């Protein structure tokens, strides 16, 4: 394993080695590594000047603009912890995140500062509005900050960024990730995917979604070029890949399905694409086949990992020959094995190692605990000769504790297959039902493209509803097809055809929204 570096050191090392190579293309601006470094130092100087001292915690309004990307680097240059906030999220949530993160400065692109002018006004002590052309010009001018910057203050043990995930209480959960968690992840991926000068990397993830760390710092750590799409370009990903000569693609699988439904997935065009990597959801074989038709020469990799384990902790590479793709019980691409430098267990309901159960992981990429320590209860465990001890908030969290992913996996022919979330298991008529199993069978029907099954509670009764995109099909026809493969208690009572699957801000299928929409509708006739 390489030396443990801070995120800024990963970038700076490339800037020193390749000052004249292109580092960033965004919004019509192009900056070399030397220019991007200068721009980051210029914004860092502005931060110190406006705040009166180097800030310890900086929020960045995440807009995929030159301002947000340079602002991210500037904060890291000063040794600050970065917390991105999303202008598409409700202002009340962003204000809560700034308060929970104790942000001292908020950097915003002047073109996307509407919340800062209204609901977010006064949320942080210092607000810095910057224009993209101003930031880019500062980088090209090569002018040092008016006052010398302090030396980089961060060490690998300090927190690099804090991201917030949804909490069951309605309060977002802060996930602090340290530089020493990120560094092995970057080293592994730069080497694994051959990222270096001349590579042109996609940027499909919002900064509030942790795969963006791959977008930015695997790119910059390897000396490649980050190519930022315009807001509409991700609706036509093949055009984006082809027009901008993208060599490495990284996205959620839903991009493939949504693009296919919009008719924006022409085959055989992305001939320059070398790597296609997917994360965030189960990657179905239908999606993999559709993307393989788009980029037949690209290596196709499925990766998995929660934010708490630093972006991704497993990977599976599909064989070049589609005839050798392994069959899985739910028609999804395997997610693993787990990275060899991490430790993991698959534990059954009794806490014993098993072929199927919850995936738990520990090692260098595992975070040290949530921003609010009360969120740690139940999320870690120790495993030893006496069995499992679940962390209850008493005592110290140590490196020996495994993080409980909450994901159900199974070893199938030597590969890890993701079966779904543990909380996607429901009881129907006394039987334990895995919703992902029903979705897998529903996807096999020729009329169905994507499928989501939700469980609606009505008193003591649980009703399963199958939602799908594709061609219209009679509910009775779908029900009879499922009954040939599933017990009757696992067959949804209702089916609903959707034009498209709703997506959340991270591009994943928005299951809570589907459930909410179904609850607001009057029940349709049950399937015959």
């Amino acid at each position: 394993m390489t030396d443990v570096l801070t995120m800024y050191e990963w970038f700076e090392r490339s800037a020193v080695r390749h000052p004249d190579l292109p580092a960033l293309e965004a919004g019509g601006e192009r900056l070399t590594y030397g220019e991007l470094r200068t721009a980051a130092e210029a914004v860092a100087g502005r931060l110190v000047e406006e705040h009166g001292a180097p800030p310890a915690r900086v929020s960045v309004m995440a807009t995929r603009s030159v301002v947000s990307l340079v602002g991210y680097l500037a904060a890291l240059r000063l040794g600050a912890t970065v917390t991105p906030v999303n202008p598409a999220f409700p202002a009340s949530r962003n204000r809560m995140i700034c308060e929970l993160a104790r942000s001292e400065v908020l950097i915003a692109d002047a073109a996307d500062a509407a919340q800062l002018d209204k609901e977010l006004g006064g949320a942080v002590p210092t607000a810095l509005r910057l224009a993209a052309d101003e930031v880019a010009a500062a980088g090209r001018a090569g002018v040092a900050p008016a006052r010398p910057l302090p030396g980089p203050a961060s060490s690998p043990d300090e927190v690099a960024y804090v991201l917030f995930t949804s909490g069951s209480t309605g309060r977002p959960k802060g996930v602090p990730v340290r530089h020493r968690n990120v560094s092995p992840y970057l080293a592994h991926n730069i080497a694994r995917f051959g990222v270096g000068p001349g590579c042109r990397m996609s940027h499909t993830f919002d900064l509030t979604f942790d795969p963006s760390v791959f977008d930015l710092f695997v790119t910059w750590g390897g000396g490649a070029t980050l190519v930022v799409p315009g807001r509409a370009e991700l609706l036509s990903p093949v055009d984006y890949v082809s027009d901008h000569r993208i060599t490495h693609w990284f996205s959620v699988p839903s991009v493939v399905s949504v693009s296919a439904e919009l008719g924006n997935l022409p085959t055989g065009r992305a001939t320059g694409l070398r790597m296609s990597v997917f994360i965030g959801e189960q990657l179905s074989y239908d999606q993999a086949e559709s993307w393989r038709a788009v980029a037949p020469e690209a290596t196709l990799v499925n990766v998995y990992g929660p934010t708490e384990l630093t972006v991704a902790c497993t990977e599976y590479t599909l064989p070049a020959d589609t005839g050798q793709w392994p069959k899985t019980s739910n028609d999804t691409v395997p997610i693993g094995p787990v990275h060899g430098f991490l430790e993991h267990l698959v534990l059954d309901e009794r806490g014993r190692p098993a072929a199927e159960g919850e995936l738990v992981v520990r090692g260098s990429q595992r975070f040290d605990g949530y921003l609010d320590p009360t969120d740690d209860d139940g999320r870690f465990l120790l495993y030893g000769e006496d069995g499992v001890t679940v962390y209850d908030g008493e005592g110290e969290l140590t490196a020996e504790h495994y993080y409980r992913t909450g994901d159900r996996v199974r070893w199938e022919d030597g590969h890890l297959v993701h079966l779904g979330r543990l909380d996607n298991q429901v009881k129907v008529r006394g039987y334990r039902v895995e919703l992902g199993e029903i979705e897998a069978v529903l996807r096999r029907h020729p009329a169905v493209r994507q499928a989501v099954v939700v469980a609606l509670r009505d008193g003591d009764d649980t009703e399963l509803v199958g939602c799908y995109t594709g061609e219209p099909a009679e509910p009775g026809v779908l029900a009879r097809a499922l009954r040939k493969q599933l017990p009757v208690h696992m067959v949804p009572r209702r089916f609903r055809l959707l034009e498209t699957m709703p997506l959340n801000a991270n591009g994943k299928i928005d299951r809570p929204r589907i459930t909410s929409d179904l609850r607001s509708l009057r029940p349709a006739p049950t399937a015959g």
Side-chain angles (χ1 to χ4, degrees):
M1 190 67 68
T2 61
D3 294 337
V4 178
L5 305 176
T6 67
M7 290 172 70
Y8 190 79
E9 285 171 338
W10 277 102
F11 162 75
E12 188 175 45
R13 191 168 66 171
S14 292
V16 170
R17 291 174 175 174
H18 314 294
D20 298 323
L21 292 184
L24 175 64
E25 297 179 8
E29 303 286 357
R30 291 176 173 81
L31 296 175
T32 65
Y33 271 91
E35 291 168 343
L36 184 56
R37 182 187 188 189
T38 300
E41 291 182 341
V43 172
R46 286 283 302 277
L47 283 174
V48 175
E49 180 182 350
E50 295 285 337
H51 190 60
R57 293 170 295 276
V58 174
S59 283
V60 176
M61 193 68 80
T63 57
R64 285 205 199 97
S65 72
V66 168
V67 170
S68 60
L69 298 172
V70 172
Y72 200 124
L73 282 171
L76 293 176
R77 167 63 180 84
L78 294 172
T81 297
V82 181
T83 300
V85 293
N86 193 327
F89 289 175
S92 58
R93 179 182 174 87
N94 286 336
R95 189 179 192 95
M96 184 187 303
I97 287 173
C98 286
E99 291 171 352
L100 291 171
R102 295 183 293 127
S103 299
E104 301 169 26
V105 176
L106 176 58
I107 302 172
D109 190 316
D112 290 284
Q115 287 190 2
L116 197 57
D117 294 327
K118 297 176 182 178
E119 299 93 335
L120 286 186
V124 296
T126 304
L128 184 61
R129 292 177 177 81
L130 298 169
D133 56 354
E134 170 192 5
V135 170
R140 284 191 284 267
V143 179
R147 298 179 181 177
L149 293 175
S154 60
S155 74
D157 280 330
E158 293 181 358
V159 176
Y161 59 83
V162 178
L163 295 178
F164 284 81
T165 62
S166 297
S168 58
T169 64
R171 173 182 55 81
K173 292 196 299 186
V175 182
V177 178
R178 300 180 189 275
H179 294 279
R180 60 172 161 77
N181 302 134
V182 185
S183 193
Y185 172 78
L186 298 180
H188 172 80
N189 283 277
I190 291 168
R192 167 67 186 85
F193 297 115
V195 178
C199 295
R200 294 175 63 80
M201 314 289 287
S202 67
H203 182 27
T204 72
F205 295 101
D206 187 274
L207 297 183
T208 55
F209 192 17
D210 64 317
S212 64
V213 171
F214 179 106
D215 288 357
L216 274 60
F217 290 94
V218 169
T219 297
W220 292 333
T225 306
L226 183 68
V227 185
V228 181
R231 291 180 177 177
E233 284 187 293
L234 287 183
L235 296 176
S236 302
V238 179
D239 291 340
Y240 165 55
V241 167
S242 302
D243 295 346
H244 295 283
R245 308 186 315 283
I246 301 297
T247 61
H248 291 63
W249 170 265
F250 190 36
S251 80
V252 292
S254 294
V255 170
V256 179
S257 299
V258 171
S259 300
E261 289 164 356
L262 294 174
N264 291 336
L265 212 62
T267 60
R269 281 194 58 203
T271 54
L273 198 61
R274 304 206 298 264
M275 286 285 177
S276 300
V277 188
F278 293 94
I279 192 173
E281 300 173 300
Q282 292 174 331
L283 174 65
S284 72
Y285 274 117
D286 285 345
Q287 291 167 326
E289 289 168 357
S290 295
W291 191 257
R292 172 56 58 89
V294 166
E297 303 303 317
T299 299
L300 205 158
V301 184
N302 190 32
V303 301
Y304 153 89
T307 303
E308 292 84 349
L309 293 172
T310 314
V311 188
C313 59
T314 78
E315 66 183 54
Y316 178 80
T317 302
L318 279 166
D321 180 0
T322 57
Q324 296 181 13
W325 287 7
K327 294 185 181 300
T328 60
S329 59
N330 61 358
D331 300 330
T332 66
V333 178
I335 62 166
V338 174
H339 293 166
F341 54 89
L342 301 175
E343 297 178 81
H344 73 282
L345 296 168
V346 177
L347 300 177
D348 64 18
E349 294 174 348
R350 289 176 285 184
R352 301 183 307 184
E356 178 179 332
E358 181 179 15
L359 178 65
V360 301
V361 181
R362 68 183 179 188
S364 57
Q365 289 184 203
R366 197 215 74 189
F367 81 139
D368 291 340
Y370 292 100
L371 197 63
D372 182 348
T374 62
D375 290 327
D376 295 334
D377 294 5
R379 300 309 309 151
F380 298 84
L381 60 80
L382 288 172
Y383 178 81
E385 293 180 359
D386 297 329
V388 164
T389 303
V390 177
Y391 183 72
D392 61 2
E394 296 294 326
E396 182 184 0
L397 270 177
T398 71
E400 297 302 307
H401 282 87
Y402 289 88
Y403 175 71
R404 301 181 62 190
T405 65
D407 287 304
R408 191 174 189 83
V409 299
R410 180 190 294 139
W411 285 106
E412 298 184 8
D413 296 326
H415 312 301
L416 270 182
V417 176
H418 187 275
L419 303 179
R421 294 287 300 168
L422 291 177
D423 52 18
N424 273 354
Q425 283 190 335
V426 297
K427 282 285 189 74
V428 178
R429 303 180 204 173
Y431 294 94
R432 180 172 290 144
V433 172
E434 176 67 62
L435 298 180
E437 183 179 356
I438 308 172
E439 292 168 355
V441 176
L442 184 54
R443 281 197 302 266
R444 292 170 190 160
H445 192 279
V448 175
R449 182 181 294 274
Q450 290 180 284
V452 167
V453 176
V454 300
L456 301 181
R457 294 284 296 175
D458 183 11
D460 294 330
D461 188 34
T462 298
E463 179 190 30
L464 299 180
V465 183
C467 301
Y468 68 98
T469 63
E471 301 298 323
E474 288 294 327
V477 171
L478 292 175
R480 285 191 290 275
L482 266 62
R483 285 189 193 121
K484 293 179 181 178
Q485 302 179 63
L486 296 171
V488 66
H489 67 270
M490 294 180 67
V491 177
R493 293 184 190 176
R494 288 193 285 148
F495 295 90
R496 179 171 173 77
L497 174 63
L498 305 178
E499 185 175 347
T500 60
M501 287 290 177
L503 306 179
N504 63 21
N506 293 334
K508 299 181 183 181
I509 293 175
D510 194 339
R511 291 173 181 268
R513 179 177 164 187
I514 293 173
T515 303
S516 176
D517 289 347
L518 287 170
R519 286 189 176 127
S520 68
L521 296 172
R522 294 181 62 185
T526 58

